[in-house]
Amino acid sequence: MTTKPPSGYDFVPAYMGISTFMHCEHSRDLATADFAILGVPFDSGAASWRSGTRFGPRTIRENSMQIWGHNRHLKITPKEEFRIIDYGDVAVDPTHIGRAAEAITTTALDILNSNTQLLTLGGDHSITFPLLRAHTEKYGTPAVIHFDSHTDTYQGLGDELEHGNPFFLAMKHGYIDPEAYIQVGIRGPQSEPDELEEAESIGARVVTIEECFELGMKDLGALIRQHVGDRQLYISLDIDALDPAYAPGTGTPEVGGFTSFQMLTLLRSLRGLNIMGADLVEVNPHYDAGAMTAILAANLAFELLCLMGVNKR
Ligand code: MN
Ligand code: MN
């Protein structure tokens, strides 16, 4: 449902109204909601370089308002088929990552326990750990597709959560199915020579960007589908999986990544998988140019929403 401004003018242009994701109603009434968009304006886990992703959710919302609603590729108009609410943001404590993570899990579980599926906008990538915790509690341990230029399975910090290790910690706590965890788009200079082996040692299937481009998007999509099968699935998309030429607005950009079109193609190829949750993280408006990263992120979030909609039918 779209909240129309009280103008009497029937058509709602993109610039009109309060910014919610795709003009969805801002509501916390979960009783009849099929999907909730949730913002997590948290960047205290961005220990490695530039902060600012706390402004990601608001900017993605604003730039999502020009998305008209029908997905020609996935043949779905999610807002017409489902009740989609913009739940607003998790009240995260920027001074305490443990408390922030608790708040994220609690809020996510409130939503999931009402049988409302969740699409979350970050925030830095540390937020995926408490999100996977909530999804595991609700649905059982999910398969995970993780788009990123970084492995985010760093083990050197032990149990201290930050945006370089959410998938290590999630695997350690049983929030990821070790048989069905795939990292896609990995590249760039490494902090340790054995970073990829470290990821593989906990069960990740690491698909480097070289392998992605050698396969092409069609075969890459097939490889991903084969790895996760028909398991219950969570998708986590770090915007830095895309090339900084397309997504400069991020904290830790790595050159040599996916184009916008390649990522759109790849996501659309995942149609029919059993996706029950997704997030899109690491959008940092401070380093954006003409909102190109936020516009891209909004469109990728729309694709994720459409994939979830197709699955929920
Ligand atoms: Mn990354
Ligand atoms: Mn990441």
Side-chain angles (χ1 to χ4, degrees):
M1 197 181 102
T2 296
T3 307
K4 286 183 182 164
S7 64
Y9 183 48
D10 220 26
F11 173 70
V12 182
Y15 55 81
M16 195 177 283
I18 296 164
S19 297
T20 60
F21 188 77
M22 285 182 69
H23 296 269
C24 291
E25 58 173 314
H26 172 44
S27 172
R28 292 195 167 171
D29 171 19
L30 293 161
T32 59
D34 298 298
F35 294 101
I37 311 298
L38 179 67
V40 183
F42 181 80
D43 60 15
S44 305
S48 56
W49 198 17
R50 314 189 292 198
S51 59
T53 59
R54 64 176 66 177
F55 299 103
R58 178 171 291 183
T59 310
I60 296 169
R61 283 186 172 106
E62 184 178 336
N63 287 283
S64 73
M65 295 181 76
Q66 62 159 337
I67 298 173
W68 300 120
H70 178 67
N71 189 319
R72 175 169 63 87
H73 307 275
L74 297 173
K75 297 183 173 53
I76 186 169
T77 311
K79 278 174 66 183
E80 282 183 11
E81 228 173 285
F82 300 103
R83 179 164 176 254
I84 304 169
I85 59 171
D86 190 326
Y87 193 83
D89 291 340
V90 180
V92 278
D93 179 345
T95 68
H96 196 295
I97 197 163
R99 273 201 295 274
E102 284 300 326
I104 294 164
T105 299
T106 302
T107 306
L109 265 176
D110 282 348
I111 295 168
L112 298 176
N113 284 334
S114 303
N115 294 317
T116 303
Q117 286 184 305
L118 197 49
L119 172 60
T120 306
L121 310 174
D124 72 60
H125 221 154
S126 68
I127 71 167
T128 301
F129 172 74
L131 289 168
L132 285 170
R133 182 163 62 188
H135 281 80
T136 297
E137 189 164 328
K138 169 66 179 172
Y139 296 104
T141 305
V144 173
I145 302 173
H146 167 200
F147 297 104
D148 209 318
S149 64
H150 310 102
T151 59
D152 292 355
T153 42
Y154 180 60
Q155 299 181 22
L157 291 167
D159 286 332
E160 298 294 325
L161 174 64
E162 52 113 291
H163 75 159
N165 66 5
F167 296 90
F168 163 62
L169 290 179
M171 189 68 93
K172 182 179 169 182
H173 289 267
Y175 307 148
I176 299 177
D177 181 344
E179 301 291 307
Y181 171 44
I182 186 164
Q183 303 178 343
V184 182
I186 304 302
R187 63 183 184 274
Q190 300 168 196
S191 57
E192 310 284 345
D194 61 350
E195 220 172 88
L196 273 50
E197 291 76 10
E198 185 182 54
E200 286 162 348
S201 75
I202 61 162
R205 168 70 167 93
V206 180
V207 189
T208 62
I209 200 73
E210 294 86 353
E211 193 178 349
C212 293
F213 289 159
E214 275 158 26
L215 286 168
M217 294 309 108
K218 193 162 171 244
D219 288 349
L220 175 58
L223 182 150
I224 295 169
R225 296 180 71 99
Q226 206 238 333
H227 195 75
V228 298
D230 57 5
R231 295 173 175 90
Q232 293 200 100
L233 173 66
Y234 187 90
I235 298 180
S236 186
L237 201 173
D238 183 329
I239 199 69
D240 72 31
L242 287 104
D243 193 277
Y246 299 85
T250 194
T252 45
E254 301 291 350
V255 299
F258 294 107
T259 68
S260 305
F261 185 68
Q262 285 171 326
M263 186 55 77
L264 289 167
T265 306
L266 196 48
L267 288 181
R268 288 166 187 159
S269 79
L270 304 180
R271 180 194 172 114
L273 292 182
N274 189 14
I275 305 162
M276 79 319 186
D279 64 50
L280 194 158
V281 297
E282 296 284 357
V283 174
N284 188 333
H286 289 172
Y287 301 94
D288 208 355
M292 63 193 284
T293 311
I295 292 167
L296 173 57
N299 278 276
L300 294 173
F302 171 62
E303 297 292 331
L304 290 169
L305 181 63
C306 291
L307 285 170
M308 291 166 69
V310 168
N311 183 50
K312 198 180 173 87
R313 272 176 180 158

